[in-house]
Amino acid sequence: MRIAMIGTGYVGLVSGVCFSDFGHDVICVDKLAEKIDMLNAGEVPIYEPGLDTLMAKNVAAGRLTFTTDLKQAVAGADAVFIAVGTPTRRGDGHADLSFVYAAAEEVAQALTGFAVIVTKSTVPVGTNREVEKRVLAVRPDAPFAVASNPEFLREGAAIDDFMRPDRVVVGVENEQARQVMEDIYRPLNLRETPMVYTTLESAEVIKYAANAFLATKITFINEIADLCEKVGGDVQAVAKGMGLDKRIGGKFLHAGPGYGGSCFPKDTLALTRTAQEHNAPIRIVETVVEVNDARKRQMAEKIITACGDKVGGKKIAILGVTFKPDTDDMRDAPSLTIVPALIGAGAEVSVADPEGRKEGEHLLPGVSWADDAYQAAAEADCVAILTEWNEFRGLDLTRLGQAMRGKLMVDLRNIYRPDVVRDAGFDYVSVGRP
Ligand SMILES: NC(=O)c1ccc[n+]([C@@H]2O[C@H](COP(=O)([O-])OP(=O)(O)OC[C@H]3O[C@@H](n4cnc5c(N)ncnc54)[C@H](O)[C@@H]3O)[C@@H](O)[C@H]2O)c1
């Protein structure tokens, strides 16, 4: 199969690299020349474990190339994947589809023979039919069919998720296009990956429903954690007791500072907007969005309260600013709400994050950056863990305490056992635990 991948962000680049590893010929396109220059120089513009090695292997095998020339990439392709961003549209919370439609129109002009135009970006229901219309408007004779192939990978575990997905969802209503999609994903047959073929609309809804459900699970356990704090329960014990019920499952039941990242916040919001527009409001997700937004602000308050209600003149060391570990992605990270609130309340903030600095430097003005947790904690009154990077899980608490002025740890990811931290002489505050 010959594949053109439009957009080389977190999803496009991982998908392009993995498809080439399946044995397909892949040309990845981006309109950012500096990104393509980096890729052509063998550098990976994002931090994603294992991506550099897999990319180098497939470039060396001659199956993977990078270009800014969309026309050349699309010519002769069996499938053209659109993997551009669909951020929140300013003002109304809908998904901004301008990048998707612009890419589709460019693709229309570049088609040379039959190709499937596959939307991999997360797009609201109805978008694939609109893509079809717009392609036909640009080129009424265009030889193509559309397919919806939403992506479920997680940043930080993206390659494994792509290579061993729980399922692949394909919305397709044209036999020839379905055949192309079957051929592209054939290597996953070996692993007996379930392939879910549906209509375009169902595929589009599946993606939003799945993300909204996971976001709901997180928000649910966060509110249970709040209750535990009031009544003396332990949310980790509660989550375990709940999660062992197979109908519930233990995943996504970790209480924390609220979900962030490039998907859940924008997708939950976009789903509520789509549903309202169709007069079928999803009130449970509307509430999830509200509760999660408020939670990020509450977490700043939690830190301030732990510091004795005043942080003016105090130094707070923040461990982790990316929205989760093993990524450099800062989009909608809780840190973007919490850190400015602490600075606004008068705190001096130092930050350590293994990969977050490049993105974080312009997003978090006014903080000082440290090389590691101990440097960040020097003379600090409080250490607050916002992201559960592995290197923060096994800190030498004696060394940490010695570096600090005060001895307070606020662990918003519950990565430490309260007795261990308290035995090391710290005041310790976590989420939903005594
Ligand atoms: N990031 C994730 O973990 C994840 C997971 C599943 C689904 N998704 C969805 O996948 C889509 C892409 O997300 P992302 O995080 O990879 O986005 P991203 O912002 O990291 O990357 C998008 C890329 O597309 C490029 N681009 C935009 N218009 C283009 C055009 N016309 N031609 C060529 N390149 C163009 C941009 O320059 C950018 O490099 C979104 O809809 C997102 O919701 C993301």
Side-chain angles (χ1 to χ4, degrees):
M1 287 280 121
R2 293 185 55 184
I3 293 174
M5 183 65 63
I6 315 298
T8 59
Y10 287 84
V11 163
L13 184 57
V14 170
S15 306
V17 168
C18 291
F19 279 146
S20 68
D21 204 59
F22 286 180
H24 304 309
D25 280 323
V26 180
I27 308 182
C28 291
V29 186
D30 208 287
K31 58 183 179 187
L32 295 178
E34 60 269 33
K35 224 178 215 184
I36 294 301
D37 289 345
M38 275 183 86
L39 289 163
N40 277 325
E43 292 164 41
V44 181
I46 54 171
Y47 176 73
E48 180 60 48
L51 189 55
D52 47 357
T53 321
L54 201 64
M55 185 175 109
K57 172 185 156 200
N58 287 287
V59 167
R63 289 189 293 261
L64 178 63
T65 55
F66 305 99
T67 180
T68 52
D69 186 348
L70 183 140
K71 228 180 161 63
Q72 174 228 328
V74 168
D78 298 295
V80 181
F81 284 78
I82 297 177
V84 301
T86 50
T88 299
R89 191 163 70 189
R90 264 173 186 269
D92 64 8
H94 277 284
D96 179 352
L97 297 173
S98 56
F99 302 106
V100 171
Y101 293 143
E105 285 164 6
E106 252 189 280
V107 169
Q109 279 159 345
L111 290 174
T112 53
F114 179 82
V116 190
I117 300 180
V118 191
T119 308
K120 210 170 223 336
S121 301
T122 301
V123 294
V125 61
T127 304
N128 276 277
R129 293 212 191 274
E130 183 64 23
V131 164
E132 191 169 19
K133 269 194 216 149
R134 290 188 183 220
V135 171
L136 284 172
V138 172
R139 259 192 69 190
D141 64 330
F144 79 106
V146 294
S148 166
N149 176 216
E151 181 51 56
F152 299 93
L153 64 78
R154 291 163 299 171
E155 287 173 21
I159 292 173
D160 205 49
D161 284 350
F162 198 93
M163 298 293 203
R164 298 166 210 276
D166 291 338
R167 76 319 204 175
V168 172
V169 172
V170 181
V172 64
E173 296 170 8
N174 166 296
E175 200 36 53
Q176 195 178 356
R178 177 179 167 136
Q179 199 54 55
V180 170
M181 296 305 287
E182 276 177 16
D183 288 346
I184 288 174
Y185 281 105
R186 192 174 308 284
L188 294 184
N189 288 353
L190 280 174
R191 297 209 170 94
E192 297 183 12
T193 304
M195 298 290 299
V196 181
Y197 287 99
T198 71
T199 61
L200 296 173
E201 284 76 13
S202 296
E204 291 164 334
V205 174
I206 286 169
K207 174 65 193 174
Y208 280 97
N211 271 4
F213 192 83
L214 294 172
T216 302
K217 247 183 133 178
I218 294 172
T219 306
F220 180 86
I221 202 67
N222 283 341
E223 290 203 306
I224 294 290
D226 289 349
L227 176 65
C228 285
E229 283 181 17
K230 294 272 161 58
V231 300
D234 177 340
V235 74
Q236 275 179 325
V238 174
K240 187 171 179 194
M242 282 175 66
L244 285 169
D245 184 328
K246 291 196 180 64
R247 295 168 301 177
I248 297 174
K251 303 247 171 83
F252 284 75
L253 285 182
H254 299 286
Y259 60 77
S262 63
C263 292
F264 287 179
K266 78 173 175 62
D267 293 347
T268 45
L269 190 59
L271 177 62
T272 65
R273 292 293 183 262
T274 303
Q276 286 158 0
E277 207 164 70
H278 289 85
N279 212 11
I282 306 180
R283 300 216 317 268
I284 194 165
V285 182
E286 290 174 8
T287 304
V288 164
V289 170
E290 252 176 61
V291 170
N292 192 67
D293 281 348
R295 185 164 189 86
K296 294 182 190 174
R297 293 189 296 273
Q298 280 161 13
M299 289 299 114
E301 286 306 316
K302 189 179 176 86
I303 296 171
I304 293 170
T305 306
C307 288
D309 290 327
K310 273 204 298 282
V311 292
K314 291 193 174 160
K315 179 175 173 185
I316 300 175
I318 298 289
L319 305 189
V321 288
T322 54
F323 85 94
K324 67 169 174 183
D326 292 326
T327 181
D328 55 357
D329 201 338
M330 293 279 300
R331 286 177 280 185
D332 275 321
S335 64
L336 298 178
T337 303
I338 296 170
V339 170
L342 295 176
I343 292 176
E348 180 195 341
V349 174
S350 59
V351 171
D353 188 290
E355 295 293 337
R357 183 166 183 170
K358 195 172 74 175
E359 282 293 305
E361 265 187 327
H362 48 275
L363 293 171
L364 295 172
V367 307
S368 60
W369 289 84
D371 292 338
D372 59 29
Y374 305 103
Q375 200 183 67
E379 297 301 314
D381 298 282
C382 166
V383 150
I385 301 171
L386 267 53
T387 314
E388 67 278 34
W389 284 93
N390 267 343
E391 70 173 60
F392 302 145
R393 288 175 181 271
L395 293 170
D396 176 341
L397 296 176
T398 309
R399 186 177 160 204
L400 192 75
Q402 280 164 354
M404 293 174 68
R405 187 160 54 199
K407 268 194 149 190
L408 169 65
M409 179 185 280
V410 181
D411 176 3
L412 297 183
R413 297 290 182 174
N414 289 349
I415 58 179
Y416 280 95
R417 272 183 34 202
D419 56 335
V420 170
V421 186
R422 289 186 184 127
D423 285 351
F426 281 81
D427 284 332
Y428 179 71
V429 176
S430 58
V431 180
R433 300 188 303 174

